[in-house]
Amino acid sequence: MSTRALRRLKGKQRGQEALDLGELTLGESPEEQAEAEEEHFNPADASPSSDNTGSTRKGKKNKAQKNFTNIYELIGDPDHEGEKISADEEADKPDKNVTGGTGINDKQTENQVQRCDGVTSKSADRVKKKKKKKKTKVASKDGEEASSDNIDLLLENLEQSNGVSLQNEDCGGSDRRSMLHVEHRNLNPETELKRYFGARAVLGDLRPRQRNRHFHRSTWMTSPKDSWPRFTRPGISMTLLETKDGIQYFTFEHSRDYQHVQFKFLDAVESMDPNNIVALLQLNPYHIDSLLQLSDVCRIQEDQEMARDLIERALFSFECAFHPLFSLTSGSSRLDYLRPENRAFFLALYKHMMFLEKRGCPRTALEYCKFILSLDPDSDPLCMLLVIDFLALRSREYKYLLQIYQEWEEHRNLSQLPNFAFSTALCHFHLSQQEDVDADERAKLREEANQILQNALIMFPGVLMPLLDLCTVQADTAVTSHSFFGIKNQIGQLPALAELTALYVGRTYNLWREAPVMLWLEESVKEVLRRVDAKDPLVEDCQNKRKQRYQSAPRNIHRHVLLSEIKEATSSLPLEVTTQPVMGFDPLPPLDSVASYILQPPPTLSLFFRSLLPNFNLQGGPRLEDEMEVARAGQELNQEVNRLMVAMRDMLANIRFQEPPREDNPYRDEEEWD
């Protein structure tokens, strides 16, 4: 017997039909009770005790009606959600009761069921009565169902126009979501670690109720730790600038006190002493740029745990300053990288993403990558398109990678990037290796993978030899001796193309080390050599494209290479990037920055004079200091100068010049030791 039949016997069918406010009453009228008694009256079952039975049944029915005093019992019952009868199911039922009330066949069937199964529950009888009444009103409900369908259609249109995505994947809402949609549960790395290792291995012996537990503000990106300093607002706030075409533009703002701390931070950075940054953080534990800079220092000293903790503290400070309308998940919130106040948020997210990838949480890192890209998808200041394919392959999100390639290829020309040219081929190959794919689909995917990889090798031949070197694979002599993949072609690459090639190879070479992938690559290389020798017109076309394009890389690609710290890519940076100083808290700032207040790091000579004279300013203009601080510094300077003058007078007064001792022995040998 099915689950639905068992629930009907147990009387759990109440409230499964669509609500009709016109029929929803706390009790039935006497006329309805009389109709129900006539419908269920069976002459074959009549007996002398039928009056007593009818009165008993009526009493129990009234008792059930007294218990049904809450009209909201019909709404939100989790046990009955799967048993609701849709309008389509009701429409598919026979129409014999629509025209003439109740039929004889229904009565005979009910009598047979009662004879075979015995006495059923009274709640089931009541449900059957209500069903019979509703069958007579199917025609009147058709109009209501049509109107409800129209309302649902209008709501869907409103959601699509406003950019609001549905949260239920089972309803097909995931197809309507944008490519930059982020899910809250995927922002927590513990969710991914629990999926890999289990909750007990991740959480250990932690219990939800602990003594001396500190309560913090709930956040999505990071979880505050008890070891952190007590949180006080550092002076960062977020403001909504404008809303245009459903996109909201925000910006961070610094208070005056935070600006003073920012000047002190620049002095600490100019001193080249990390202890000064530590001292500044002791007074301002949630200063963003200090946390970012000290995190780089800890990472260089191989203290990865402390470096990651400082980045998480910076993200917590940012999230506490979010605007109420700022959304992490919708993909419709924007931040302008040209504003210096917003750059620290981009950098903190990027560094947190890289820590997650190294920690073994590529799925969580992919969500942060999409979030960074959603903040400024047009200019993409950190070039997240150069890393999103790698994270998608690491997390085995093959369909997402193909979807973003298909949707953005038309206006972004993703096929002109080496990472997308090779990653999409690798994505098709992995999909063809899945066991749940049928033979025809598998062959189709494999053919597409072969074609895409061959085109990628023809367009970017400089990828093959560095990739084989990092994979510790010795290339065949037919490949190394051929001019298409030889050293001459490697040296002749344009600087921008060499930078992109080195970046992709240094980041994703581990994905090509698998034996099936390497065999597939070998087959494709042989086919490419055959097409080159056969004078395929695509080879010459790609060669002309390489000469016309990739003349110089934009500034955001250089910034991405610096942040990635891949030695194969950083060695290919041009001289105009490597010869200028690069600050970890703001690498390669945009040339057209929009500054709300002036932040100029003082030169070394200015720092020297300022150590002697605190109110010295090389620019000649007034410094952004309070008048009380300037006055206090002047008094201290006068006291120190007076003390210095007194000490110098005493030293000069006590100086005594002594004559050199005379020689008493004129016959003394000059080379004799004393």
Side-chain angles (χ1 to χ4, degrees):
M1 186 178 293
S2 64
T3 305
R4 179 174 294 182
L6 289 175
R7 292 194 178 186
R8 285 176 177 173
L9 290 177
K10 292 180 180 180
K12 294 186 178 181
Q13 279 296 107
R14 181 179 61 184
Q16 300 303 310
E17 298 81 16
L19 285 177
D20 189 0
L21 298 180
E23 297 179 0
L24 183 61
T25 57
L26 298 180
E28 294 182 353
S29 62
E31 293 80 8
E32 293 178 348
Q33 293 180 5
E35 283 184 51
E37 290 178 0
E38 290 177 1
E39 288 175 356
H40 280 269
F41 178 75
N42 190 359
D45 295 338
S47 62
S49 60
S50 60
D51 298 336
N52 297 332
T53 305
S55 60
T56 305
R57 183 180 302 171
K58 187 175 181 180
K60 291 185 178 180
K61 180 179 179 181
N62 293 333
K63 183 178 180 180
Q65 291 176 358
K66 292 179 181 179
N67 293 333
F68 179 60
T69 57
N70 185 7
I71 63 175
Y72 298 103
E73 286 184 4
L74 300 178
I75 305 174
D77 191 355
D79 294 333
H80 305 326
E81 288 179 1
E83 299 296 325
K84 292 183 179 181
I85 300 175
S86 62
D88 297 336
E89 292 179 355
E90 290 187 2
D92 293 339
K93 292 181 180 180
D95 297 336
K96 57 187 177 182
N97 292 331
V98 175
T99 56
T102 59
I104 302 175
N105 294 332
D106 292 336
K107 293 182 180 180
Q108 293 176 357
T109 304
E110 291 178 4
N111 294 335
Q112 292 176 2
V113 171
Q114 291 178 359
R115 293 190 187 97
C116 295
D117 296 339
V119 181
T120 59
S121 62
K122 301 302 181 292
S123 59
D125 293 339
R126 185 170 61 255
V127 171
K128 290 180 181 179
K129 295 175 185 178
K130 291 183 179 180
K131 281 187 177 181
K132 289 183 178 181
K133 295 175 184 177
K134 290 186 178 181
K135 284 180 181 179
T136 60
K137 300 180 181 180
V138 171
S140 62
K141 287 185 178 180
D142 289 340
E144 297 177 1
E145 292 174 357
S147 62
S148 63
D149 293 340
N150 294 333
I151 294 175
D152 294 338
L153 182 60
L154 290 175
L155 290 176
E156 291 180 1
N157 294 334
L158 287 175
E159 289 175 351
Q160 292 178 0
S161 61
N162 294 333
V164 179
S165 59
L166 299 177
Q167 299 295 329
N168 189 3
E169 296 181 357
D170 297 336
C171 296
S174 59
D175 297 336
R176 292 188 294 269
R177 293 175 179 174
S178 65
M179 300 308 303
L180 303 179
H181 177 83
V182 178
E183 295 183 2
H184 277 136
R185 60 186 178 88
N186 290 330
L187 292 175
N188 188 2
E190 292 184 357
T191 303
E192 187 172 3
L193 293 175
K194 289 177 185 177
R195 187 163 57 249
Y196 295 153
F197 307 106
R200 184 177 296 275
V202 176
L203 300 179
D205 296 333
L206 294 179
R207 296 294 182 267
R209 295 182 181 180
Q210 297 176 346
R211 294 183 179 180
N212 300 327
R213 185 180 179 184
H214 299 278
F215 293 94
H216 303 276
R217 176 179 175 178
S218 60
T219 53
W220 289 108
M221 294 189 295
T222 58
S223 299
K225 301 178 181 179
D226 296 337
S227 59
W228 289 357
R230 183 178 179 181
F231 178 74
T232 55
R233 294 190 177 276
I236 299 179
S237 60
M238 179 180 279
T239 304
L240 176 62
L241 297 178
E242 62 175 349
T243 301
K244 185 178 180 181
D245 298 332
I247 304 298
Q248 297 172 332
Y249 297 88
F250 299 87
T251 184
F252 285 101
E253 293 183 349
H254 294 169
S255 63
R256 187 173 182 82
D257 294 336
Y258 193 91
Q259 294 178 17
H260 292 167
V261 177
Q262 192 73 7
F263 278 109
K264 295 179 182 178
F265 165 74
L266 295 177
D267 294 342
V269 171
E270 190 69 20
S271 66
M272 305 297 292
D273 187 2
N275 295 323
N276 294 334
I277 302 178
V278 174
L280 182 63
L281 274 178
Q282 290 177 352
L283 299 177
N284 307 275
Y286 288 92
H287 181 253
I288 303 299
D289 288 345
S290 299
L291 292 171
L292 297 179
Q293 190 71 22
L294 190 59
S295 175
D296 290 341
V297 174
C298 295
R299 185 172 46 80
I300 294 173
Q301 297 176 354
E302 297 184 355
D303 190 356
Q304 301 293 333
E305 188 67 26
M306 178 58 67
R308 186 179 65 190
D309 186 78
L310 293 173
I311 295 298
E312 291 179 357
R313 197 196 301 183
L315 288 178
F316 177 76
S317 180
F318 270 122
E319 192 167 0
C320 291
F322 280 173
H323 193 274
L325 297 179
F326 186 80
S327 175
L328 291 171
T329 60
S330 65
S332 60
S333 299
R334 300 287 186 267
L335 285 175
D336 191 0
Y337 193 81
L338 298 179
R339 296 177 178 269
E341 297 89 343
N342 299 334
R343 294 175 200 161
F345 186 54
F346 281 85
L347 296 173
L349 288 173
Y350 183 89
K351 295 180 179 182
H352 185 58
M353 177 193 69
M354 298 310 297
F355 278 124
L356 289 173
E357 191 273 329
K358 294 178 181 178
R359 190 182 175 186
C361 302
R363 183 67 181 86
T364 309
L366 177 62
E367 293 298 311
Y368 277 96
C369 181
K370 293 192 292 184
F371 177 50
I372 299 173
L373 186 58
S374 69
L375 294 177
D376 196 353
D378 296 331
S379 60
D380 193 10
L382 299 185
C383 271
M384 304 312 298
L385 289 177
L386 297 179
V387 70
I388 192 171
D389 62 302
F390 168 69
L391 296 175
L393 289 173
R394 280 286 314 275
S395 58
R396 299 181 180 178
E397 294 291 331
Y398 305 128
K399 294 183 179 179
Y400 172 77
L401 178 58
L402 294 181
Q403 187 177 359
I404 193 174
Y405 176 78
Q406 293 170 0
E407 292 189 6
W408 288 20
E409 165 64 18
E410 183 177 355
H411 63 282
R412 289 295 184 93
N413 293 327
L414 298 181
S415 60
Q416 304 304 312
L417 297 175
N419 59 313
F420 268 95
F422 283 89
S423 294
T424 51
L426 190 59
C427 183
H428 280 89
F429 175 78
H430 284 300
L431 287 175
S432 66
Q433 299 297 313
Q434 293 181 353
E435 297 180 355
D436 56 347
V437 180
D438 56 1
D440 296 338
E441 185 68 20
R442 185 177 303 175
K444 181 180 178 182
L445 290 172
R446 183 61 180 268
E447 183 63 26
E448 291 180 0
N450 295 337
Q451 189 66 29
I452 296 174
L453 181 58
Q454 293 173 18
N455 294 339
L457 289 171
I458 293 174
M459 184 65 190
F460 306 104
V463 173
L464 179 63
M465 299 309 297
L467 181 62
L468 295 179
D469 292 340
L470 290 179
C471 293
T472 64
V473 175
Q474 182 66 32
D476 190 74
T477 56
V479 177
T480 56
S481 61
H482 203 283
S483 60
F484 191 72
F485 293 113
I487 298 182
K488 183 179 179 180
N489 198 357
Q490 298 286 331
I491 299 175
Q493 283 193 105
L494 294 175
L497 182 58
E499 185 177 350
L500 292 174
T501 299
L503 179 66
Y504 174 73
V505 173
R507 174 174 285 156
T508 61
Y509 69 93
N510 284 320
L511 301 177
W512 294 86
R513 278 185 168 180
E514 301 177 4
V517 176
M518 194 57 63
L519 292 175
W520 167 60
L521 177 62
E522 182 181 0
E523 297 174 359
S524 299
V525 169
K526 292 180 180 179
E527 181 63 23
V528 167
L529 291 179
R530 188 193 63 79
R531 294 174 62 180
V532 171
D533 295 336
K535 304 298 182 180
D536 192 328
L538 181 62
V539 177
E540 185 178 359
D541 184 31
C542 292
Q543 185 177 0
N544 295 331
K545 289 181 179 179
R546 287 196 301 271
K547 292 180 180 180
Q548 296 174 2
R549 304 167 184 173
Y550 313 107
Q551 295 293 333
S552 61
R555 195 174 181 84
N556 56 348
I557 292 182
H558 298 326
R559 188 183 301 119
H560 178 88
V561 172
L562 289 173
L563 290 175
S564 65
E565 297 183 352
I566 298 175
K567 60 181 181 180
E568 293 84 4
T570 53
S571 61
S572 61
L573 287 172
L575 292 177
E576 59 267 17
V577 177
T578 56
T579 54
Q580 61 177 321
V582 178
M583 297 297 177
F585 62 92
D586 191 8
L588 292 182
L591 300 178
D592 52 348
S593 298
V594 180
S596 58
Y597 60 96
I598 303 300
L599 282 178
Q600 295 181 354
T604 307
L605 184 62
S606 175
L607 283 177
F608 172 72
F609 283 108
R610 191 176 298 171
S611 63
L612 299 177
L613 302 174
N615 59 349
F616 175 80
N617 187 7
L618 186 63
Q619 303 296 332
R623 297 190 61 198
L624 295 177
E625 295 180 345
D626 296 336
E627 296 180 359
M628 296 297 296
E629 184 178 354
V630 174
R632 192 183 307 110
Q635 294 177 0
E636 293 176 356
L637 176 62
N638 293 333
Q639 295 176 2
E640 293 295 330
V641 170
N642 292 332
R643 292 174 185 173
L644 180 61
M645 295 298 295
V646 171
M648 292 181 64
R649 291 192 189 100
D650 294 338
M651 182 181 65
L652 293 175
N654 294 328
I655 291 178
R656 296 289 184 270
F657 295 96
Q658 296 181 358
E659 296 180 358
R662 297 179 179 179
E663 294 290 341
D664 296 335
N665 186 6
Y667 302 100
R668 180 181 177 183
D669 189 1
E670 295 179 359
E671 296 180 1
E672 183 181 359
W673 291 90
D674 292 335

